């Protein structure tokens, strides 16, 4: 298995909702990432987990809460989002700190209404 | 056809021609670089990577060149095909390890004309 799987592929949520994005990989990668991508823009790093510990938070608002339950799973919990948070949320993983095998999932298209 | 740095968002080439996509990276401490292809509605797809101890690396129909002196990266695609139409991003790793995350360039939209 050489893929990063993200669910759901599409999500529409209201500003008072709580939802979660899920990411899974079975490549034995020990680093996992969340990125946010707005239309016609490059991906921007949000969070980095290395060996299941949060190592980087790029000053992301607290309405985004990451979680790494184990080495294969990465979640992003969403609460009280704003319409400007609508974007493509990408998960990625890499083998280790060297970055080998850096692989992205297909993303979750999030719309906040 | 050739794109210039990060300021030419679209590059149009004829099918069968070679294309060159350029990227200027920002941090002289970056030691790992990746080119990604992103089609509409999909996540970035790995094309080729290069580490700072190399200046050239070749794959199938693609070549990446790295010039650390001027902090410049290029992606050459030989004999372009309609399926090559996509947005291409360069990405750099700042800090010496992949677990620091990637910083992406602005992207170039490659259009293949029949």
């Amino acid at each position: 298995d050489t893929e990063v799987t993200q669910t759901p592929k599409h999500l529409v949520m209201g500003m008072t909702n709580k939802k979660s994005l899920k990411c899974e990989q079975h490549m034995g990668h020990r680093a996992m990432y969340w990125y946010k991508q707005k239309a016609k823009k490059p991906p921007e790093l949000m969070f980095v987990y290395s060996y299941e510990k949060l190592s980087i938070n790029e000053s992301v608002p607290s309405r985004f809460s990451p979680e790494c339950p184990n080495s294969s799973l990465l979640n992003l919990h969403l609460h009280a989002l704003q319409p400007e948070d609508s974007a493509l949320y990408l998960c990625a993983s890499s083998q280790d700190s060297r970055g080998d095998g850096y692989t992205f999932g297909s993303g979750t298209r999030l719309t906040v209404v | 056809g050739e794109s210039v740095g990060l300021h030419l968002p679209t590059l149009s080439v004829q099918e069968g021609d070679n294309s060159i996509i350029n990227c200027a990276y920002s941090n002289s401490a970056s030691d790992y670089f990746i080119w990604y292809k992103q089609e509409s509605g999909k996540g970035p797809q790995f094309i080729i990577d290069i580490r700072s101890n190399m200046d050239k690396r070749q794959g199938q129909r693609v070549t990446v060149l790295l010039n650390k002196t001027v902090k410049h990266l290029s992606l050459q695609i030989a004999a372009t095909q309609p399926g090559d139409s996509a947005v291409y991003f360069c990405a750099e790793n700042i800090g010496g390890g992949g677990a620091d995350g990637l910083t992406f360039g602005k992207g170039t939209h490659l259009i293949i004309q029949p």
Side-chain angles (χ1 to χ4, degrees):
Chain A
D1 187 353
T2 59
E3 291 186 345
V4 174
T5 303
Q6 290 188 242
T7 55
K9 294 194 182 304
H10 301 275
L11 178 62
V12 179
M13 61 184 291
M15 289 187 284
T16 58
N17 291 160
K18 287 185 179 181
K19 296 287 185 182
S20 296
L21 309 184
K22 298 185 181 302
C23 175
E24 189 168 1
Q25 57 87 14
H26 296 288
M27 295 179 279
H29 288 179
R30 301 314 300 267
M32 296 186 76
Y33 314 81
W34 281 114
Y35 287 80
K36 174 182 178 179
Q37 186 177 25
K38 301 284 280 184
K40 301 187 185 302
K41 297 289 187 182
E44 294 180 340
L45 183 67
M46 299 175 71
F47 301 105
V48 179
Y49 273 84
S50 181
Y51 291 85
E52 300 162 51
K53 295 190 187 307
L54 182 64
S55 61
I56 293 179
N57 176 340
E58 291 286 346
S59 302
V60 179
S62 60
R63 57 186 183 269
F64 296 91
S65 176
E67 178 196 18
C68 189
N70 60 56
S71 61
S72 298
L73 296 175
L74 186 66
N75 299 322
L76 185 62
H77 302 299
L78 313 173
H79 178 229
L81 295 194
Q82 303 297 311
E84 58 265 30
D85 296 321
S86 299
L88 180 68
Y89 288 84
L90 294 162
C91 175
S93 69
S94 65
Q95 189 169 3
D96 51 29
S97 62
R98 281 173 49 85
D100 290 331
Y102 213 113
T103 305
F104 280 84
S106 296
T108 294
R109 176 72 62 188
L110 174 67
T111 303
V112 181
V113 297
Chain B
E2 183 172 347
S3 74
V4 178
L6 305 176
H7 303 292
L8 186 66
T10 301
L11 174 64
S12 183
V13 299
Q14 294 286 342
E15 182 179 350
D17 286 353
N18 298 333
S19 63
I20 300 174
I21 301 172
N22 294 304
C23 179
Y25 64 92
S26 58
N27 194 316
S28 56
S30 295
D31 73 343
Y32 182 52
F33 305 88
I34 309 175
W35 279 101
Y36 285 97
K37 171 185 180 182
Q38 188 173 26
E39 297 174 280
S40 181
K42 297 184 178 180
Q45 177 187 355
F46 175 94
I47 301 174
I48 193 168
D49 61 358
I50 189 167
R51 295 203 174 268
S52 58
N53 61 351
M54 303 174 69
D55 53 20
K56 180 179 179 179
R57 192 157 187 234
Q58 289 184 292
Q60 187 177 13
R61 284 201 304 120
V62 294
T63 300
V64 55
L65 299 177
L66 175 63
N67 185 330
K68 295 181 288 294
T69 302
V70 295
K71 294 189 287 186
H72 183 268
L73 195 66
S74 69
L75 176 70
Q76 301 175 2
I77 305 174
T80 53
Q81 303 169 357
D84 294 330
S85 292
V87 177
Y88 289 80
F89 292 103
C90 65
E92 62 182 302
N93 174 258
I94 297 175
D100 295 319
L102 297 175
T103 298
F104 283 77
K106 292 183 180 179
T108 296
H109 184 193
L110 179 64
I111 299 172
I112 308 301
Q113 295 186 339

